[in-house]
Amino acid sequence: MTDRSETSADLSSVLDLRLRLSLELGRRKVTLAELKSIQSGSILELDVKAGEALNLVANGAPVAQGEVVILEQGYGFRLTRVYSPAERGALR
């Protein structure tokens, strides 16, 4: 069994790792034929309704939920819920 100080030391050694964060607006499965027919101006209907929360995804795994906010010079993301480890596993 490890003590708390060893666990903290282990965690601190990975805190500078970089993660790829992305916002997931929605999903849709398409066939190769549908993908081939997509062109500029095409509209793809997603599996979410307007105004629904977006998922914050870290390295392919959903970690939180929130909403887009408008800032002075662009956009931001306000977290409204952080998923527990069990929820993250179920959302994959």
Side-chain angles (χ1 to χ4, degrees):
M1 184 190 283
T2 61
D3 67 21
R4 188 175 284 257
S5 63
E6 284 183 33
T7 303
S8 296
D10 292 345
L11 182 60
S12 67
S13 67
V14 298
L15 290 178
D16 63 344
L17 291 177
R18 293 188 172 270
L19 298 174
R20 180 172 300 276
L21 294 180
S22 58
L23 295 178
E24 184 178 82
L25 178 61
R27 294 180 181 197
R28 177 182 176 155
K29 290 184 178 183
V30 297
T31 64
L32 285 175
E34 289 174 304
L35 183 60
K36 183 180 174 198
S37 71
I38 293 173
Q39 56 187 321
S40 181
S42 293
I43 296 174
L44 298 175
E45 189 173 339
L46 302 174
D47 64 351
V48 295
K49 304 281 187 247
E52 282 188 26
L54 306 178
N55 281 322
L56 177 65
V57 179
N59 287 350
V63 294
Q65 192 176 69
E67 59 194 13
V68 172
V69 293
I70 299 174
L71 305 172
E72 288 181 29
Q73 298 295 319
Y75 297 99
F77 186 70
R78 177 182 298 127
L79 296 175
T80 56
R81 178 178 177 200
V82 177
Y83 296 127
S84 71
E87 289 172 313
R88 282 182 242 154
L91 290 169
R92 283 190 167 204

